[in-house]
């Protein structure tokens, strides 16, 4: 492996610039598209919860049905759990998510006058909101620099050799230290899109990779 085939703090900007150019011809993740069309921190929060372990197309349809019935915490708590579950079906764990959506909506009204807080520690106090969801709300709902790391971001960052970690939460902490803040807002969108289309978990499409000249392909045993 040569220094030319490594993505480091010195050339990460080049890699992301290449990804940004490549991504212009690909759709953003569903939640990001939704946030652009509906710039509401509450809707971003709820649609992100819906997206967990759910395909993008299902998330999009479930979000549209739910927000057609209730767009704010105050409207949401007027719906019962069964109604919400029916609206978001077949999202993964739709019954549990219906309970989570109601509980969070009530807590937002009781604690924050129905306004989603723009602070990660406060967001994490809500049961059902993990680090991935909280960070994505900050990025998409408030356009605040945050480091959202899902399986795609974790995998690609490790495959590049930019981080070395076993779990997404570990990758987040390393990226917070290593990645310049100016790249934080775009990092999740770029790597998720890239991970979905090219840098796949098994047999990635290295022949179509815009950063193949920089990537050491860590952990890749078979590619196309």
């Amino acid at each position: 492996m040569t220094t030319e085939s490594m993505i480091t703090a010195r050339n990460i900007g080049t890699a992301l610039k290449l990804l940004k150019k490549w991504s212009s011809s690909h759709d953003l993740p569903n939640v990001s598209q939704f946030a652009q069309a509906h710039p509401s921190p509450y809707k971003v929060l709820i649609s992100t919860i819906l997206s967990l372990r759910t395909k993008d197309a299902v998330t999009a349809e479930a979000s549209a049905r739910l927000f057609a019935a209730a767009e704010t915490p105050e409207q949401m708590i007027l719906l019962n759990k069964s109604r919400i579950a029916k609206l978001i079906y077949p999202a993964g764990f739709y019954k549990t998510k219906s309970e989570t959506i109601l509980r969070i909506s009530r807590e937002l009204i009781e604690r924050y006058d129905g306004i989603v807080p723009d602070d990660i520690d406060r967001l994490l106090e809500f049961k059902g909101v993990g680090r991935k969801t909280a960070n994505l709300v900050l990025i998409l709902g408030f356009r605040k620099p945050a480091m959202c790391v899902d399986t795609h971001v974790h995998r690609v960052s490790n495959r590049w050799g930019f981080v070395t970690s076993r779990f997404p939460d570990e990758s987040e902490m390393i990226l917070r230290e290593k990645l310049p803040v100016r790249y934080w807002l775009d990092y999740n969108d770029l790597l998720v899109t890239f991970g979905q289309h090219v840098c796949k978990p098994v047999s990635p499409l290295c022949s179509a990779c815009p950063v193949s000249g920089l990537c050491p392909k860590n952990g890749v045993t078979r590619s196309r």
Side-chain angles (χ1 to χ4, degrees):
M1 185 185 302
T2 65
T3 54
E4 286 75 19
S5 63
M6 295 177 64
I7 295 182
T8 67
R10 299 185 69 176
N11 64 6
I12 186 68
T14 299
L16 295 177
K17 185 176 180 180
L18 290 168
L19 275 195
K20 196 159 193 174
K21 182 178 180 181
W22 167 87
S23 71
S24 63
S25 59
H26 293 78
D27 289 335
L28 291 173
N30 174 263
V31 173
S32 299
Q33 293 183 52
F34 185 86
Q36 289 182 350
H38 307 274
S40 156
Y42 177 70
K43 288 184 177 181
V44 171
L45 172 59
I46 300 304
S47 63
T48 302
I49 290 170
L50 289 176
S51 74
L52 301 175
R53 298 192 180 184
T54 302
K55 292 181 179 179
D56 273 6
V58 175
T59 299
E61 293 171 0
S63 296
R65 287 193 299 271
L66 180 62
F67 294 133
E71 293 187 304
T72 66
E74 291 81 4
Q75 292 173 353
M76 193 68 72
I77 64 170
L78 297 179
L79 305 179
N80 59 38
K81 183 174 63 177
S82 297
R83 174 64 173 154
I84 294 174
K86 185 177 293 186
L87 288 168
I88 66 176
Y89 178 84
F93 302 97
Y94 65 96
K95 290 183 179 179
T96 300
K97 288 176 180 177
S98 67
E99 295 175 355
T100 299
I101 290 167
L102 269 179
R103 183 176 60 250
I104 288 176
S105 298
R106 290 193 189 100
E107 289 184 20
L108 282 171
I109 294 169
E110 293 169 1
R111 298 170 58 188
Y112 298 106
D113 295 325
I115 298 172
V116 176
D118 62 349
D119 177 83
I120 189 167
D121 292 326
R122 291 182 178 180
L123 286 168
L124 290 172
E125 290 176 355
F126 292 96
K127 185 179 178 182
V129 174
R131 296 197 66 86
K132 172 190 168 183
T133 297
N135 279 305
L136 204 57
V137 169
L138 294 178
I139 293 170
L140 299 179
F142 294 100
R143 299 301 295 170
K144 291 184 67 172
M147 184 49 59
C148 177
V149 178
D150 70 350
T151 56
H152 295 294
V153 176
H154 171 66
R155 179 179 69 256
V156 174
S157 297
N158 276 273
R159 193 169 277 172
W160 282 355
F162 192 66
V163 305
T164 302
S165 63
R166 294 179 58 193
F167 305 106
D169 283 357
E170 293 177 11
S171 291
E172 179 194 336
M173 298 309 160
I174 296 171
L175 287 166
R176 283 181 175 274
E177 291 291 328
K178 191 173 182 180
L179 185 69
V181 175
R182 65 181 178 274
Y183 300 128
W184 288 20
L185 282 175
D186 293 329
Y187 198 73
N188 179 268
D189 273 353
L190 289 176
L191 268 67
V192 170
T193 305
F194 180 57
Q196 290 175 336
H197 294 278
V198 175
C199 202
K200 300 183 178 185
V202 178
S203 190
L205 305 177
C206 293
S207 61
C209 176
V211 296
S212 60
L214 298 173
C215 179
K217 303 177 178 62
N218 287 342
V220 175
T221 57
R222 181 166 59 93
S223 65
R224 290 171 283 168

